[in-house]
């Protein structure tokens, strides 16, 4: 999987290139990550990348020409024809299925991270294939949004996660019926007066699997009832959820 990023703050990407799962994926050659700074494609002495908006109003807008030149350079470096994504609050909401689809398609991706009030609309209209938002709030820049997307899709690149931590076990996965994850515990079994649920110490794999499913359903019911409303639960799941609700309310 190859990702290129057009950004005024390439140094921010050290966070994913030097830490954690994504850095390991890069070292193992499973993820390619490269950045292009529009400032490197300016021609004036001040390396200008923004200007005042036509029509007046607050803030600045990123200039189209340095962005386009950076994009052209990134496209030339891409291993195949890339998909160009602009991150913006005005985009389609990013979710787990998008992350998985990007990783499975293995199409090279070039992200444009906006700053200021955003980028000149003509770049969006002419050069961008897709607009993605990471949520209904406004960040100061697109870099964190791009890193969120790259981190989430990296977990789905075959070979990145070991069997133990595989992405299908995580919240929102199809394998998990789109539910939230169950709670996790580790040593010690008793922490002051808090004990680990005894079933997890029982060694009974069937009972543990049942408990985890019940907890997933229960956590989803407690924290994301909107997800449950969209699901049709089979009889076993309905019974497990009813059991969770009874225990919770007693
Ligand atoms: N004026 C813009 C608006 O109201 O939609 C906000 C611009 S924001 C300060 C600067 C940049 O941050 C945007 O161009 C975009 O690239 C990025 N950004 C901000 N919030 C985002 C979000 N929720 N999802 C994705 N990108 C976001």
């Amino acid at each position: 999987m190859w990702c290129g990023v057009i950004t005024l703050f390439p140094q921010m990407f050290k966070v994913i290139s030097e830490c954690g799962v994504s850095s390991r994926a890069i070292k193992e050659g499973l993820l390619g990550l490269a950045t292009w700074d529009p400032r490197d494609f300016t021609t004036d002495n001040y390396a200008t990348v923004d200007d005042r908006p036509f029509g007046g109003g607050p803030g600045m807008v990123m200039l189209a020409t340095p962005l386009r030149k950076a994009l052209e350079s990134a496209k030339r470096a891409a291993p195949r024809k890339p998909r160009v994504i602009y991150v913006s609050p005005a985009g389609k909401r990013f979710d787990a299925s998008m992350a998985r689809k990007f990783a499975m398609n293995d199409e090279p991706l070039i992200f444009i991270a906006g700053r200021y009030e955003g980028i000149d609309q003509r770049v969006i209209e002419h050069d961008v294939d897709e607009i993605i938002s990471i949520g209904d709030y406004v960040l100061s820049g697109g870099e964190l949004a791009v890193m969120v997307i790259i981190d989430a899709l990296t977990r789905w690149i075959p070979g990145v996660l070991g069997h133990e931590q595989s992405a299908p076990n995580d919240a929102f996965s199809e394998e998990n019926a789109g539910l939230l994850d169950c709670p996790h515990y580790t040593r010690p079994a008793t922490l002051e007066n808090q004990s680990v649920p005894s079933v997890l110490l029982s060694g009974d794999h069937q009972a543990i699997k049942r408990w985890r499913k019940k907890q997933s359903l229960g956590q989803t019911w407690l924290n994301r009832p909107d997800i449950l409303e969209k699901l049709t639960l089979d009889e076993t799941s309905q019974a497990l959820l009813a059991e969770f609700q009874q225990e919770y309310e007693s």
Side-chain angles (χ1 to χ4, degrees):
M1 179 88 210
W2 183 90
C3 295
V5 189
I6 313 297
T7 169
L8 291 175
F9 293 95
Q11 66 275 29
M12 286 180 74
F13 287 82
K14 282 187 179 177
V15 170
I16 56 170
S17 64
E18 293 183 4
C19 307
V21 168
S22 47
S23 84
R24 213 176 57 230
I26 292 170
K27 280 188 201 106
E28 290 172 4
L30 298 167
L31 173 68
L33 178 65
T35 56
W36 281 262
D37 186 343
R39 270 188 215 288
D40 297 335
F41 297 87
T42 53
T43 45
D44 64 315
N45 289 341
Y46 301 100
T48 308
V49 289
D50 60 322
D51 207 337
R52 290 187 304 276
F54 279 128
M60 301 294 270
V61 177
M62 284 180 77
L63 290 166
T65 301
L67 269 176
R68 276 209 174 125
K69 287 184 178 170
L71 192 54
E72 287 313 315
S73 175
K75 280 183 176 172
R76 282 195 294 276
R80 291 180 301 287
K81 188 177 182 302
R83 183 170 192 76
V84 178
I85 297 170
Y86 174 49
V87 289
S88 161
K92 188 172 167 203
R93 181 82 70 85
F94 184 64
D95 65 13
S97 69
M98 266 196 230
R100 188 173 197 167
K101 208 169 77 197
F102 283 144
M104 293 302 149
N105 289 350
D106 195 20
E107 186 181 24
L109 302 176
I110 297 178
F111 294 94
I112 302 177
R115 281 271 154 181
Y116 318 118
E117 286 306 315
I119 68 176
D120 190 305
Q121 182 65 23
R122 289 166 291 188
V123 174
I124 300 176
E125 282 165 13
H126 186 265
D127 306 89
V128 167
D129 298 310
E130 189 170 357
I131 309 176
I132 297 181
S133 163
I134 63 158
D136 290 346
Y137 41 81
V138 177
L139 302 164
S140 312
E143 287 77 10
L144 291 173
V146 172
M147 284 193 270
V148 163
I149 296 169
I150 294 177
D151 184 277
L153 70 83
T154 299
R155 299 177 65 77
W156 287 104
I157 299 174
V160 167
L161 294 186
H163 174 69
E164 292 290 298
Q165 338 149 257
S166 78
N169 289 333
D170 285 338
F172 310 113
S173 72
E174 284 164 34
E175 290 79 352
N176 228 352
L179 298 170
L180 300 186
D181 198 6
C182 63
H184 301 280
Y185 299 87
T186 186
R187 274 183 269 268
T190 304
L191 187 67
E192 296 173 12
N193 59 352
Q194 290 178 287
S195 300
V196 169
S198 57
V199 64
L200 296 178
L201 310 174
S202 68
D204 180 341
H205 296 297
Q206 274 307 105
I208 293 171
K209 198 171 160 199
R210 187 179 183 282
W211 180 88
R212 287 186 169 148
K213 181 74 192 253
K214 182 167 83 175
Q215 295 301 319
S216 271
L217 286 157
Q219 292 306 318
T220 311
W221 170 68
L222 284 175
N223 300 313
R224 291 293 304 274
D226 56 306
I227 293 179
L228 268 192
E229 273 164 27
K230 288 182 210 134
L231 293 176
T232 315
L233 298 182
D234 60 21
E235 271 182 35
T236 315
S237 298
Q238 284 179 31
L240 285 174
L241 178 59
E243 206 175 296
F244 181 95
Q245 289 167 328
Q246 229 169 28
E247 287 166 8
Y248 181 78
E249 275 152 12
S250 67

